[in-house]
Amino acid sequence: TDKEDTRTLWTTLTTEATTSGSGSGSGSGSGSGSDANREGTSAAKIWLDGQVHADLADSVPQIGAPEAWDAGYNGDGATVAVLDTGIDPTHPDLVDQIQDMVSFVPDEDTTDVNGHGTHVASTIAGTGAASNGDNTGVAPAADLIVGKVLNDNGYGYDSWIIAGMQWAAESGADIINMSLGGGQADGLDPMALAVESLSAQHDTLFVVAAGNNSGLIGSPGTAESALTVGAVDKQDQLADFSSVGPLARTGALKPDLTAPGVAINAARSQHSTGDG
């Protein structure tokens, strides 16, 4: 067991330390047995190998958001649509941000059982109220509208997603965030074409995940008009799971930029499992 392994390790270390440090010695370099034991100890203290994770207090400064806030850019006046697994509208970080919620998933309301949508929404526009401001989102003054386009298991059909895209664009969203994606595509599939059409019609910016399969970028991140985002870790190194370009059909360069996307700690829906 872990306890037995720990006891064995401690016994080995302390026995080795006592053996190497014992003996009376002679001459000016000698010392008492207890002093020699301390000097010969190879491990004065043992710490458990703890785990750490990134949170918004790390990732938001990593992209320079506090400097943008100081310059007056905090999302005020902007409306961001989050198309995902729904949202927990009662979370303290989001309770004052949400202007509208619609579900496009048959037989499911906007309740976020999966948890991904609430996590994404707070990363974008969370106020940090639940953490005394420590875990503030990138644009805490922005308004949110939420379209549930993925079911409680985190999956959705193209038709649900496209319906949500159209609703968000027609509702006046300045930015439509889609932290989702399908398989590798050539940019001519229905979701990518919807991005192109709605961007042109409504002057809306679609911000789309590059994908998490380490392969080529999936739809709708393949759309030319999309701002396609890959993932980096805390050291700004490309995450090993982040999908990359160039695009299969055109050879165009994607993703357009990268942002922190490894082990991000953000708001948790009360209807999901986990910490937060």
Side-chain angles (χ1 to χ4, degrees):
T1 65
D2 291 342
K3 184 178 292 185
E4 291 171 343
D5 291 342
T6 302
R7 183 181 296 112
T8 300
L9 173 62
W10 177 251
T11 301
T12 301
L13 289 171
T14 54
T15 300
E16 289 177 352
T18 302
T19 301
S20 63
S22 63
S24 60
S26 62
S28 60
S30 65
S32 67
S34 59
D35 289 339
N37 286 348
R38 284 194 294 271
E39 292 171 0
T41 299
S42 58
K45 182 179 290 187
I46 295 178
W47 294 96
L48 294 178
D49 190 7
Q51 292 182 317
V52 299
H53 60 265
D55 56 25
L56 295 185
D58 299 320
S59 60
V60 171
Q62 185 176 343
I63 64 170
E67 289 79 9
W69 300 338
D70 290 342
Y73 301 104
N74 60 2
D76 187 30
T79 298
V80 180
V82 179
L83 302 183
D84 214 287
T85 61
I87 199 165
D88 178 1
T90 67
H91 194 287
D93 286 7
L94 299 168
V95 67
D96 295 323
Q97 312 300 90
I98 303 167
Q99 304 302 310
D100 198 6
M101 301 179 294
V102 177
S103 177
F104 298 91
V105 178
D107 303 319
E108 291 185 11
D109 60 20
T110 55
T111 301
D112 186 15
V113 174
N114 181 278
H116 190 265
T118 300
H119 179 105
V120 169
S122 70
T123 303
I124 295 170
T127 62
S131 59
N132 294 318
D134 288 342
N135 289 327
T136 301
V138 174
D143 292 327
L144 295 176
I145 60 174
V146 177
K148 182 170 181 174
V149 298
L150 303 177
N151 64 20
D152 292 342
N153 294 317
Y155 295 93
Y157 287 102
D158 289 0
S159 57
W160 303 349
I161 298 168
I162 292 172
M165 294 164 64
Q166 184 171 356
W167 164 78
E170 292 176 351
S171 297
D174 301 293
I175 298 169
I176 299 176
N177 186 85
M178 302 177 68
S179 297
L180 53 82
Q184 297 175 12
D186 59 6
L188 298 177
D189 61 282
M191 281 202 296
L193 292 176
V195 169
E196 305 290 15
S197 175
L198 293 170
S199 296
Q201 290 178 41
H202 300 279
D203 195 27
T204 298
L205 176 63
F206 283 83
V207 179
V208 185
N212 295 339
N213 62 9
S214 302
L216 294 178
I217 292 170
S219 180
T222 50
E224 182 179 353
S225 299
L227 182 66
T228 307
V229 184
V232 294
D233 60 21
K234 289 179 66 175
Q235 288 72 45
D236 283 327
Q237 298 299 306
L238 187 68
D240 57 8
F241 58 79
S242 188
S243 298
V244 296
L247 299 184
R249 180 176 61 87
T250 64
L253 296 179
K254 288 276 185 176
D256 299 291
L257 54 81
T258 57
V262 178
I264 303 298
N265 180 36
R268 178 180 68 86
S269 170
Q270 65 175 318
H271 306 289
S272 66
T273 59
D275 299 324

Coordinates of all heavy atoms in Angstrom, one line a residue, residues 225-260:
S225 N -13.2 32.4 -42.1 CA -13.6 33.5 -41.3 C -13.5 33.3 -39.8 O -13.6 34.3 -39.0 CB -15.1 33.9 -41.6 OG -15.2 34.2 -43.0
A226 N -13.3 32.1 -39.3 CA -13.3 31.8 -37.9 C -11.9 32.2 -37.3 O -10.9 32.1 -38.0 CB -13.5 30.3 -37.7
L227 N -11.9 32.7 -36.1 CA -10.7 32.9 -35.4 C -10.4 31.6 -34.6 O -11.1 31.3 -33.6 CB -10.8 34.1 -34.4 CG -9.6 34.4 -33.6 CD1 -8.5 34.9 -34.5 CD2 -9.9 35.4 -32.5
T228 N -9.6 30.8 -35.2 CA -9.3 29.4 -34.7 C -8.2 29.5 -33.6 O -7.1 30.0 -33.9 CB -9.0 28.5 -35.8 OG1 -10.0 28.6 -36.8 CG2 -8.9 27.1 -35.4
V229 N -8.5 28.9 -32.5 CA -7.6 29.0 -31.3 C -7.0 27.6 -30.9 O -7.8 26.7 -30.6 CB -8.3 29.7 -30.1 CG1 -7.3 29.9 -29.0 CG2 -8.9 31.0 -30.6
G230 N -5.7 27.5 -30.9 CA -5.0 26.4 -30.3 C -4.8 26.5 -28.8 O -5.0 27.6 -28.3
A231 N -4.2 25.5 -28.2 CA -4.0 25.5 -26.8 C -2.5 25.4 -26.4 O -1.7 24.7 -27.1 CB -4.7 24.3 -26.1
V232 N -2.1 26.2 -25.4 CA -0.7 26.2 -24.9 C -0.8 26.0 -23.4 O -1.8 26.1 -22.8 CB 0.1 27.5 -25.2 CG1 0.3 27.6 -26.7 CG2 -0.6 28.7 -24.6
D233 N 0.4 25.5 -22.8 CA 0.4 25.4 -21.4 C 0.9 26.6 -20.7 O 1.0 27.7 -21.3 CB 1.3 24.1 -21.0 CG 2.8 24.3 -21.5 OD1 3.2 25.5 -21.8 OD2 3.4 23.3 -21.7
K234 N 1.2 26.5 -19.4 CA 1.7 27.7 -18.7 C 3.0 28.3 -19.1 O 3.3 29.4 -18.9 CB 1.7 27.4 -17.2 CG 0.4 27.2 -16.5 CD 0.5 26.8 -15.0 CE 1.1 28.0 -14.3 NZ 1.2 27.7 -12.8
Q235 N 3.8 27.5 -19.8 CA 5.1 27.9 -20.4 C 4.9 28.4 -21.8 O 6.0 28.5 -22.5 CB 6.1 26.8 -20.3 CG 6.6 26.5 -18.9 CD 5.5 25.8 -18.0 OE1 4.9 24.9 -18.4 NE2 5.4 26.3 -16.8
D236 N 3.7 28.5 -22.3 CA 3.4 28.9 -23.7 C 3.9 27.9 -24.7 O 4.2 28.3 -25.8 CB 4.0 30.3 -24.0 CG 3.2 31.4 -23.4 OD1 2.0 31.3 -23.3 OD2 3.8 32.5 -23.0
Q237 N 4.0 26.7 -24.3 CA 4.4 25.6 -25.2 C 3.1 24.9 -25.7 O 2.1 24.7 -25.0 CB 5.2 24.5 -24.5 CG 6.6 25.1 -24.0 CD 7.4 25.6 -25.1 OE1 7.7 24.9 -26.1 NE2 7.9 26.9 -25.0
L238 N 3.1 24.6 -27.0 CA 1.9 24.0 -27.6 C 1.5 22.7 -26.9 O 2.3 21.8 -26.6 CB 2.1 23.7 -29.1 CG 0.9 23.2 -29.9 CD1 -0.1 24.4 -30.0 CD2 1.3 22.7 -31.2
A239 N 0.2 22.6 -26.5 CA -0.3 21.4 -25.8 C -0.2 20.2 -26.7 O -0.4 20.4 -27.9 CB -1.7 21.7 -25.3
D240 N 0.2 19.1 -26.2 CA 0.4 17.9 -27.0 C -0.9 17.4 -27.7 O -0.9 16.7 -28.7 CB 1.0 16.8 -26.2 CG 0.2 16.4 -25.0 OD1 -0.9 16.8 -24.8 OD2 0.8 15.5 -24.2
F241 N -2.1 17.9 -27.1 CA -3.4 17.5 -27.7 C -3.9 18.4 -28.7 O -4.9 18.2 -29.4 CB -4.4 17.3 -26.6 CG -4.6 18.5 -25.8 CD1 -5.4 19.5 -26.2 CD2 -4.1 18.6 -24.5 CE1 -5.7 20.7 -25.4 CE2 -4.3 19.7 -23.7 CZ -5.1 20.8 -24.2
S242 N -3.3 19.6 -28.8 CA -3.9 20.7 -29.6 C -3.8 20.4 -31.1 O -2.7 20.0 -31.6 CB -3.2 22.0 -29.3 OG -3.9 23.1 -30.0
S243 N -4.9 20.5 -31.8 CA -4.9 20.2 -33.3 C -4.1 21.4 -34.0 O -4.1 22.5 -33.5 CB -6.3 20.1 -33.8 OG -7.0 19.0 -33.2
V244 N -3.5 21.1 -35.1 CA -2.7 22.0 -35.9 C -3.0 22.0 -37.3 O -3.7 21.1 -37.9 CB -1.2 21.7 -35.7 CG1 -0.8 21.9 -34.2 CG2 -0.9 20.3 -36.1
G245 N -2.6 23.0 -38.0 CA -2.7 23.1 -39.5 C -1.5 22.5 -40.2 O -0.7 21.9 -39.5
P246 N -1.4 22.8 -41.5 CA -2.3 23.6 -42.3 C -3.6 22.9 -42.6 O -3.7 21.7 -42.4 CB -1.4 23.9 -43.5 CG -0.5 22.7 -43.6 CD -0.2 22.3 -42.2
L247 N -4.5 23.7 -43.2 CA -5.8 23.0 -43.5 C -5.6 22.1 -44.7 O -4.8 22.3 -45.6 CB -6.8 24.1 -43.9 CG -7.1 25.2 -42.8 CD1 -8.2 26.1 -43.3 CD2 -7.5 24.5 -41.5
A248 N -6.4 21.0 -44.6 CA -6.2 19.9 -45.6 C -6.4 20.3 -47.0 O -5.7 19.9 -47.9 CB -7.1 18.7 -45.2
R249 N -7.5 21.1 -47.3 CA -7.8 21.4 -48.7 C -7.0 22.5 -49.2 O -6.5 22.4 -50.4 CB -9.3 21.7 -48.8 CG -9.8 22.0 -50.2 CD -11.3 22.2 -50.2 NE -11.7 23.3 -49.4 CZ -11.8 24.6 -49.8 NH1 -11.5 24.9 -51.0 NH2 -12.2 25.5 -48.9
T250 N -6.9 23.6 -48.5 CA -6.3 24.8 -49.0 C -4.8 25.0 -48.6 O -4.1 25.8 -49.2 CB -7.1 26.1 -48.6 OG1 -7.0 26.2 -47.1 CG2 -8.6 25.9 -48.9
G251 N -4.4 24.3 -47.6 CA -3.0 24.5 -47.1 C -2.9 25.8 -46.3 O -1.8 26.2 -45.9
A252 N -4.0 26.5 -46.0 CA -4.0 27.7 -45.2 C -3.5 27.5 -43.8 O -3.7 26.4 -43.2 CB -5.4 28.4 -45.2
L253 N -2.8 28.5 -43.2 CA -2.3 28.4 -41.9 C -3.4 28.5 -40.8 O -4.2 29.5 -40.9 CB -1.2 29.4 -41.7 CG 0.0 29.3 -42.5 CD1 1.0 30.4 -42.2 CD2 0.7 28.0 -42.3
K254 N -3.5 27.6 -40.0 CA -4.4 27.6 -38.8 C -3.6 26.8 -37.7 O -2.8 26.0 -38.0 CB -5.7 26.9 -39.1 CG -6.7 27.7 -40.0 CD -7.5 28.7 -39.2 CE -8.5 29.4 -40.2 NZ -9.4 30.3 -39.4
P255 N -3.9 27.0 -36.4 CA -4.8 28.0 -35.9 C -4.3 29.5 -36.1 O -3.1 29.7 -36.4 CB -4.9 27.7 -34.4 CG -3.6 27.0 -34.1 CD -3.2 26.3 -35.4
D256 N -5.2 30.4 -35.8 CA -4.8 31.8 -36.0 C -4.0 32.3 -34.8 O -3.2 33.2 -34.9 CB -6.1 32.7 -36.1 CG -6.8 32.2 -37.4 OD1 -6.3 32.5 -38.5 OD2 -7.9 31.7 -37.2
L257 N -4.3 31.8 -33.6 CA -3.5 32.1 -32.4 C -3.7 31.0 -31.4 O -4.4 30.0 -31.6 CB -4.0 33.5 -31.8 CG -5.5 33.7 -31.5 CD1 -5.9 33.0 -30.2 CD2 -5.8 35.2 -31.5
T258 N -2.9 31.1 -30.3 CA -3.1 30.1 -29.2 C -3.4 30.9 -27.9 O -3.1 32.1 -27.8 CB -1.8 29.3 -29.0 OG1 -0.7 30.2 -28.8 CG2 -1.5 28.5 -30.2
A259 N -3.9 30.1 -27.0 CA -4.3 30.7 -25.6 C -4.1 29.5 -24.6 O -4.1 28.4 -25.0 CB -5.7 31.2 -25.7
P260 N -4.0 29.9 -23.3 CA -3.9 28.9 -22.3 C -5.1 27.9 -22.4 O -6.2 28.3 -22.4 CB -3.9 29.7 -21.0 CG -3.4 31.0 -21.4 CD -3.9 31.3 -22.8

